[in-house]
Amino acid sequence: MVSSAQSVAEAKAAGQIQAIEIQGVVEIKTVGTTNWTTAQAGQILLPAEHLRTGPDSRVSLRWSNKSVITFGALTELEILPPTQPDAQSGLHLIRGVLSFFHRDQPGRIQIITSGAVAGVEGTEFVLAVDETERTTLAVVDGKVRLANDQGSLLLTNDEEAVVDLGQAPVRTAGFIANNLLQWCFYYPAVLDPADLTFSTDEHSDLDKSLADYRDGDLLVALRDYPTNLTATTDAGRIYHAALLLAVGQAAKSEAILTELSATNSLARPQQLADALRLLMAAVKRQTVSSPPQPQLATEFLADSYYEQSRAHRDKSLTAALVSAQAAVSNSPNFGFSWERVAELEFSFGRIKPALAALDHSLQLAPRNAQALALKGFILSAQDRPHQAITWFD
């Protein structure tokens, strides 16, 4: 695939491919070896090296300071050498799914699959190779010529095509971008563990994961969730569903929520399940016809994100802040709700109350990346860039 890239000066730096974000299990097989080793954030990938992601995992690679490709769970790829002196390193997607987003002027990155090659003139697309080696290309923005020896198609915004081995590309009925991309969206934490009632055995099994969660580290909380544990209570199912959202696994999360034993909409498990669904709607910019009236801290925090997603001028941010403050009032020891209050206060330019809420959040959840980043933004607003960089790092 020929896609977007950057200036000649940037192209030299683009020869290096760097892992900039790792979530879950991500491994690399270096040249000349058969062993897979754990990938590290900041690691450089070289031609002929392979990378793979485990279940409920994802990784983002940067080709330059402007081009980022995110790979979903159970994906395997190989880095290819540049096809021309002025081209960047290429990519062979063996299996799995990737999301490509580019912010600069056209250039070249070659991406191949077992079934086709495509020429891309645009900024965003999703490419997938399934277990049958079927290739699916969906163009969010731009133009793509998808071709193989059997034929070719020109795709543009919101168009999709599939290619089976040995067959010509076939145009589909299209896709809904937010549904297609949900696996790589960011889902903030809204579930307050205080709203859950675990069994004694669950408390024992989930002790380490819950400690990570309360500290604000969602990814480690998911990593420390017992791999062989099958939740047997509604509280356990809801907690697992909330953790899966941390790596964008909305479909898996929803599947777990459908297994809840409580069917009464006023029962707490259903209230919490609906709160997680409201968060999904907010992230995907979907409208909920009649959102439930919040009662629990979890519900108020989910409602805060949903109110912001509605984007009503002069109303949404105020309503979002009111809901976040209600979450704090309902559960004063819930660090994620204090961070939410802080970021909304900051959105109005009120730095002093934003800092007060943020510092309290960091006391409760010192490993919350969202709070750490917000501290960097507030310091930047105070013209303290060197301290800001420390918090961003």
Side-chain angles (χ1 to χ4, degrees):
M1 298 186 177
V2 179
S3 68
S4 311
Q6 43 287 330
S7 67
V8 174
E10 288 177 314
K12 294 179 180 179
Q16 289 188 330
I17 299 172
Q18 186 177 34
I20 60 171
E21 183 180 5
I22 291 176
Q23 300 181 0
V25 178
V26 179
E27 298 175 312
I28 292 177
K29 183 169 65 175
T30 57
V31 180
T33 69
T34 58
N35 296 326
W36 293 90
T37 59
T38 301
Q40 305 294 327
Q43 187 167 349
I44 302 299
L45 278 73
L46 302 174
E49 291 188 332
H50 287 239
L51 179 144
R52 69 182 182 188
T53 60
D56 303 330
S57 304
R58 59 186 179 186
V59 62
S60 293
L61 303 182
R62 182 171 61 202
W63 259 247
S64 70
N65 64 347
K66 299 288 180 73
S67 300
V68 173
I69 304 181
T70 300
F71 301 87
L74 301 176
T75 292
E76 183 177 349
L77 60 101
E78 178 189 7
I79 302 300
L80 301 176
T83 56
Q84 298 181 31
D86 60 343
Q88 299 184 59
S89 295
L91 172 66
H92 174 202
L93 182 63
I94 300 170
R95 60 183 171 90
V97 61
L98 66 82
S99 170
F100 179 92
F101 185 78
H102 188 80
R103 295 183 177 91
D104 208 357
Q105 299 300 314
R108 286 177 293 179
I109 297 175
Q110 185 183 59
I111 305 177
I112 66 172
T113 72
S114 54
V117 178
V120 180
E121 299 175 11
T123 59
E124 192 170 9
F125 63 87
V126 175
L127 183 71
V129 176
D130 67 15
E131 61 277 1
T132 68
E133 296 190 79
R134 165 180 275 200
T135 297
T136 302
L137 177 67
V139 180
V140 179
D141 183 51
K143 295 180 181 180
V144 179
R145 185 167 296 279
L146 182 65
N148 59 18
D149 291 342
Q150 286 72 41
S152 68
L153 286 175
L154 180 64
L155 307 178
T156 187
N157 295 18
D158 301 323
E159 292 187 335
E160 179 185 69
V162 297
V163 183
D164 292 309
L165 287 178
Q167 303 295 316
V170 177
R171 198 183 305 269
T172 73
F175 62 94
I176 299 174
N178 281 348
N179 291 339
L180 182 74
L181 293 165
Q182 65 177 310
W183 63 271
C184 59
F185 286 161
Y186 173 68
Y187 286 85
V190 297
L191 179 66
D192 182 4
D195 288 335
L196 298 170
T197 303
F198 293 107
S199 68
T200 302
D201 287 342
E202 280 178 326
H203 262 300
S204 176
D205 292 335
L206 298 175
D207 183 63
K208 191 169 183 355
S209 178
L210 282 167
D212 297 326
Y213 187 94
R214 292 189 180 98
D215 274 353
D217 199 330
L218 302 180
L219 300 181
V220 174
L222 179 59
R223 185 194 68 191
D224 288 338
Y225 187 90
T227 55
N228 59 348
L229 178 64
T230 300
T232 57
T233 69
D234 287 340
R237 294 184 185 100
I238 290 167
Y239 179 65
H240 192 200
L243 284 183
L244 290 172
L245 287 180
V247 290
Q249 294 289 343
K252 280 190 176 182
S253 179
E254 177 58 43
I256 291 174
L257 295 179
T258 60
E259 298 174 358
L260 297 182
S261 59
T263 57
N264 182 352
S265 62
L266 298 179
R268 178 166 293 196
Q270 285 300 329
Q271 289 177 278
L272 298 175
D274 287 344
L276 293 180
R277 292 186 177 108
L278 190 64
L279 175 66
M280 295 180 204
V283 171
K284 294 162 65 175
R285 295 296 302 277
Q286 294 176 335
T287 300
V288 177
S289 57
S290 55
Q293 292 298 314
Q295 296 177 337
L296 307 170
T298 298
E299 293 178 291
F300 278 113
L301 194 51
D303 184 69
S304 176
Y305 286 107
Y306 179 71
E307 286 293 341
Q308 182 175 351
S309 75
R310 298 174 71 186
H312 291 162
R313 185 175 180 179
D314 301 328
K315 291 174 55 178
S316 287
L317 287 179
T318 299
L321 178 56
V322 169
S323 288
Q325 290 168 331
V328 166
S329 297
N330 270 259
S331 185
N333 294 322
F334 186 30
F336 289 107
S337 60
W338 281 101
E339 188 283 333
R340 180 64 174 155
V341 168
E343 68 186 23
L344 287 165
E345 291 283 12
F346 185 53
S347 75
F348 289 103
R350 299 192 286 258
I351 291 181
K352 187 174 180 180
L355 267 177
L358 181 60
D359 288 342
H360 194 70
S361 171
L362 287 169
Q363 288 177 359
L364 295 167
R367 291 154 58 193
N368 180 5
Q370 195 170 339
L372 298 171
L374 179 58
K375 184 82 170 186
F377 283 116
I378 292 178
L379 289 168
S380 297
Q382 295 177 316
D383 198 22
R384 298 157 68 184
H386 295 295
Q387 291 172 275
I389 288 172
T390 300
W391 284 89
F392 287 137
D393 287 341

